[in-house]
């Protein structure tokens, strides 16, 4: 997989989010890069502040959720298989306020989506960490399901 | 407490959210009513859809988070005490798609905020249920902290 192919996938991921999930566009959520099997996703701080001028807890969760969803989507695209991805359950711990430059990071290299090609659903629990600079600000764990698409 | 006093508190709650949390305004989150010690909060579906045209998982979580936050705020206002409310951790299970008229409901009558008046922090775990008509669509549990305000 060439870097330019990954770049075009990340552009398509952003388009998918912004065209189908209005909140993701309002939050200015954007895939940043992949590196060493990890996906980084960011959002602008301004639309996502709370009354303390730090990142709103709901926005932190949403950024982590879409990062996990994006990891499954990316793994599927790289494997050439399709599936409808939904979040079944999740938990999150808030560790420190996000004051600047939020980056959510997830390992997508662990995802094995080939079962979808045989008509079986995929169940995948992912941990997403929300960084602000070198500070770990939140830790999200979500269980995603992907159903073979008709 | 007269009904009109509760109504004015709910209006002030909505103003607080919409003026300090831009995402809450975009999502059109609104306190609906209180009844029998419970607070109901709604949001419009249109700004909160996903690619399946049902309510986006991130928006469901955010609505539940603000409903829990609003319950602590309301209990504090009714008790005449102040505190800075933050969410420490939460988990959520998605049970059914939300296709119409989301209402998040929480019991605020259990909250005992008087400790804040003595300078002690409040720790409160709340369960918020997200209804669509008579269908329970998600169940959120969050642990909120409120710190005596300077």
């Amino acid at each position: 997989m060439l870097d330019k192919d990954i770049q075009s996938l990340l552009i398509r991921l952003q388009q998918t989010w912004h065209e189908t999930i209005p909140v993701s566009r309002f939050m200015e959520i954007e895939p940043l890069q992949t590196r060493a099997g990890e996906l980084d996703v960011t959002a602008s701080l301004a639309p996502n502040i709370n009354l303390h001028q730090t990142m709103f807890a709901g926005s932190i969760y949403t950024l982590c959720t879409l990062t996990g969803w994006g990891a499954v989507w990316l793994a599927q695209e790289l494997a050439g298989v399709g599936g409808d991805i939904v979040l079944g359950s999740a938990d999150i711990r808030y560790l420190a306020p996000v004051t600047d430059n939020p980056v959510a990071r997830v390992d997508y290299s662990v995802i094995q989506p080939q079962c979808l090609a045989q008509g079986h659903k995929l169940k995948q629990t992912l941990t997403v960490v929300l960084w602000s600079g070198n500070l770990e600000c939140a830790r999200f764990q979500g269980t995603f399901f992907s159903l073979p698409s008709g």
Side-chain angles (χ1 to χ4, degrees), chain A:
Chain A
M1 179 67 54
L2 298 172
D3 281 356
K4 72 177 172 61
D5 296 328
I6 286 272
Q7 274 310 312
S8 71
L9 281 176
L10 296 188
I11 290 167
R12 195 144 62 80
L13 177 57
Q14 176 168 331
Q15 286 170 342
T16 300
W17 285 340
H18 287 197
E19 288 169 8
T20 62
I21 305 174
V23 167
S24 72
R25 179 189 289 266
F26 179 81
M27 290 177 59
E28 300 177 8
I29 291 181
E30 293 183 17
L32 267 183
Q33 63 179 357
T34 59
R35 196 168 48 184
E38 293 185 318
L39 168 66
D40 285 358
V41 181
T42 190
S44 301
L45 196 58
N48 293 301
I49 55 167
N50 59 20
L51 74 174
H52 306 288
Q53 303 293 314
T54 60
M55 194 169 180
F56 169 49
S59 290
I60 291 172
Y61 176 94
T62 291
L63 177 55
C64 291
T65 290
L66 285 179
T67 301
W69 191 98
V72 179
W73 182 90
L74 187 60
Q76 290 182 179
E77 291 291 325
L78 291 171
V81 298
D84 286 333
I85 308 159
V86 296
L87 178 61
S89 60
D91 61 81
I92 189 166
R93 279 180 299 133
Y94 299 96
L95 306 169
V98 177
T99 56
D100 189 29
N101 190 29
V103 175
R105 182 168 296 155
V106 66
D107 182 355
Y108 67 88
S109 71
V110 297
I111 305 169
Q112 303 284 344
Q114 288 79 5
C115 57
L116 290 161
Q118 281 100 48
H120 302 301
K121 81 172 173 192
L122 171 70
K123 178 182 179 181
Q124 182 71 52
T125 298
L126 293 171
T127 298
V128 182
V129 176
L130 196 288
W131 297 90
S132 174
N134 291 321
L135 187 64
E136 183 177 325
C137 295
R139 184 167 279 259
F140 165 102
Q141 191 171 65
T143 298
F144 294 85
F145 294 91
S146 185
L147 307 176
S149 36

